[in-house]
Amino acid sequence: MRAFTGLRGPRAPRAWPLLLVCLIAGTPWSLADSDPPDSAFTNLVGEEMMAKYSNLSLEIHSISLTDKSSMLVEKNITLEKPSNMELTCQFTTSGDLNSINITWRKGDELLENNNYLINASGNTLYTQYTFTIINSKQMGSYSCFFEEEKEQKGTFNIKVPELHGKHKPLITYVGDSTVLVCKCEHCFPTNWTWYRSNGSVQVPVDVHMNDKYVISGKHANETRLKIMHLSEEDGGSYWCHAIFQLGESEEHIELVVLSFLVPLKPFLAIIAEVILLVAFILLCEMYTQKKKKHPEEGKEFEQIEQL
């Protein structure tokens, strides 16, 4: 495969950022000038920007498609901090490569063709989209389209890490203490927050109630909410909320608080069933004994009549 050639469209000169720098610095400069002002302030801003983005990690991901593909091809990418992205789609076809139209979209928005490269090798087309993600607005789905007789699509879903809690309800009893745990595997949120559902509204857990709640691990990959002196009112839905540089994520945990009478109910039901069964047996015995006694009285009456 040949290296990606410069098939990008022409880029407009980026004069506005430089003009803004000049206005801030108080240095006169017009768009007609061939070169921007060579000032210490401008050089300092440029160096800071270059240093800021050059230190970002590079994320490389690819998707393979063919003209026979019938299923949607997707790839999920987890990202928690700003990074340089390099997304590549390759499309293999038996048709004419020159007749295939290639586009990129973010969601439903068409991306400018001067931001991605196109190349061909044999019967395979390659397209590469490179960009830098620095905020939550740039997260989402990026798709490459190969339009021939039939359109083929590959999608990269870029999202923040998912949280993991207890999927089954956590069951405990009145007066006990319990700990709710949320984890983020291979990631470190900048902060954690706990909420409790009050109807359709999420209410922050009041950590200032020291005799009730204790939260630990606010800046780790795991957070714990300890609830003490449980009552039946403490049952319900709890949410752990993680904040990342590129977005937020949350997980739901259900807490069920039972009174001590609840485990006794099955035992009491069994005792009631036993009592009913014993009473039924005694009634049957009494009825049987009474029935046996009546035939004997009838025989004695017949013997007296014969005499």
Side-chain angles (χ1 to χ4, degrees), residues 59-77:
E59 294 279 338
I60 302 175
H61 301 275
S62 61
I63 281 178
S64 297
L65 300 165
T66 69
D67 55 0
K68 308 297 183 184
S69 299
S70 59
M71 299 181 63
L72 179 64
V73 180
E74 289 186 288
K75 185 171 185 179
N76 295 324
I77 303 172

Side-chain angles (χ1 to χ4, degrees), residues 204-210 213-215 218 225:
V205 172
D206 189 1
V207 295
H208 299 293
M209 297 175 61
N210 295 326
Y213 301 110
V214 176
I215 297 178
K218 282 192 174 183
L225 171 64

Side-chain angles (χ1 to χ4, degrees), residues 191-206:
N191 194 24
W192 291 92
T193 309
W194 282 92
Y195 294 88
R196 182 184 175 186
S197 293
N198 185 6
S200 59
V201 180
Q202 290 185 355
V203 180
V205 172
D206 189 1

